[in-house]
Amino acid sequence: MTATVLDGRALAKGIREDCAGRVAAFAAAAGRPPVLATVLVTGDEASASYVGAQGRAASKLGFDFRLVEVPPGAGTEQARALVAALSAEPAVDAIVVAAPLPRPFDTYAVQSAIDPDKDADGATAYNQGLLLAGRPGPRPATAVAIRALVEATGRPLAGARATVIGRSLVVGKPAAILLLEAHATVTIAHSRTEELAAVARTADFLVCAAGVASLVRSEHVKPGAVVIDAGTNPVGSGENSRLMGDAAYDEVAEVAGWITPVPGGVGPVTNAMLLRGAVELAARRLGPT
Ligand code: NAP
């Protein structure tokens, strides 16, 4: 293997330490801990386990973490009403909807009921608009994590070529905007892209966010490129179940200069960035101290 491994867990640890300081400062100024509420539709094991881990991490940092459960039969309108009620609750500082919600929920419609000032994952149209306009505001944690991992390599983004594979609202599009903001020349590839390997191979920074295990092979990677793999794809079953990224790790690591592992790359940094986003919103609500 030739690539240097980008250790997401180590990066996340530093972000959490910074976050703990911010949580303590908030608590000292407000006389209460910051409140993060996460809305979860029950019944989806993967989402429940992800939210459980998020809640434990938040509590450890000093947040008052509130899990708000929605029954799977509730429907979009009921879930929206619940999110709107949380938004109106003065004691709640930050809200996350554990997305994607299972069918037939309309995830975007439910997220849109979050007060933009409490939107920890930058999921509302208002905050997406701020992102597009290059204005400060809460930004999607996964995209922020991707950019932080890119920056951890120390390689300059300005003028470099970046390709993002995936164009979802949650990962691909915001990641592309953040790379563009750092003056990279950005290409967004997707399922209709022709000659994906050739398009990907132009990139000095290759972000994989397709959700397809082993989509990215050695022929997709420019020698020495930075590969940030956001894909988390469950493979196997029972005792043999595990998570795989979008990159075929062993062969891509032979070509890339830097690579994020799965698990242990984008995931932990995303979790830490979400908590940082939440405490930033809480501090903003408190005003200057
Ligand atoms: P998504 O909404 O399903 O979007 C996938 C994107 O990839 C789409 O734009 C799709 O293109 C594109 N795509 C699918 N197959 C492709 C192919 N064969 N070639 C090129 N492009 C292809 O998924 P998402 O929510 O963005 O998530 C993407 C991955 O990131 C998933 O594995 C998810 O679990 C993971 N994820 C990780 C984190 C984290 O913190 N690590 C957070 C969120 C998501 P079209 O638009 O043309 O359909």
Side-chain angles (χ1 to χ4, degrees):
M1 192 180 96
T2 58
T4 303
V5 178
L6 271 165
D7 184 350
R9 291 194 177 110
L11 184 60
K13 188 165 177 275
I15 298 161
R16 279 198 305 273
E17 280 163 9
D18 166 66
C19 211
R22 292 176 192 230
V23 169
F26 174 91
R32 63 169 180 86
V35 176
L36 168 63
T38 294
V39 177
L40 171 74
V41 172
T42 51
D44 176 347
E45 231 175 84
S47 269
S49 129
Y50 175 77
V51 169
Q54 186 84 65
R56 285 190 295 280
S59 302
K60 212 167 157 187
L61 292 187
F63 279 91
D64 176 352
F65 178 78
R66 300 189 187 169
L67 177 64
V68 181
E69 293 185 317
V70 180
T76 296
E77 278 319 307
Q78 204 178 323
R80 272 179 60 82
L82 203 145
V83 171
L86 275 177
S87 289
E89 220 181 280
V92 172
D93 298 297
I95 301 169
V96 174
V97 171
L101 300 179
R103 286 183 191 186
F105 285 92
D106 178 342
T107 301
Y108 194 58
V110 176
Q111 288 171 323
S112 300
I114 302 173
D115 174 347
D117 289 334
K118 299 184 177 184
D119 175 16
D121 203 19
T124 58
Y126 183 83
N127 287 321
Q128 286 165 349
L130 290 181
L131 171 67
L132 203 57
R135 298 294 172 109
R139 292 170 161 197
T142 308
V144 175
I146 289 169
R147 171 136 157 215
L149 282 157
V150 162
E151 285 170 353
T153 66
R155 291 253 193 105
L157 266 167
R161 287 176 190 235
T163 296
V164 179
I165 306 177
R167 57 176 166 178
S168 75
L169 266 180
V170 194
V171 192
K173 281 180 191 162
I177 292 168
L178 289 185
L179 297 175
L180 187 62
E181 196 175 80
H183 312 296
T185 301
V186 182
T187 301
I188 304 179
H190 45 80
S191 67
R192 309 282 183 95
T193 297
E194 290 181 5
E195 296 180 36
L196 180 67
V199 172
R201 212 167 42 237
T202 61
D204 304 301
F205 297 90
L206 179 60
V207 175
C208 312
V212 181
S214 296
L215 172 71
V216 173
R217 315 296 303 238
S218 54
E219 69 262 26
H220 292 71
V221 179
K222 179 175 174 177
V226 174
V227 177
I228 308 291
D229 191 352
T232 45
N233 309 299
V235 292
S237 59
E239 274 183 14
N240 295 322
S241 67
R242 61 193 177 102
L243 284 183
M244 268 193 75
D246 288 353
Y249 187 84
D250 290 342
E251 65 176 72
V252 168
E254 291 296 332
V255 183
W258 297 81
I259 188 166
T260 56
V262 179
V266 175
V269 184
T270 299
N271 293 344
M273 288 300 188
L274 189 70
L275 297 176
R276 192 177 82 176
V279 72
E280 278 174 359
L281 288 181
R284 209 167 75 178
R285 292 186 74 230
L286 197 58
T289 51

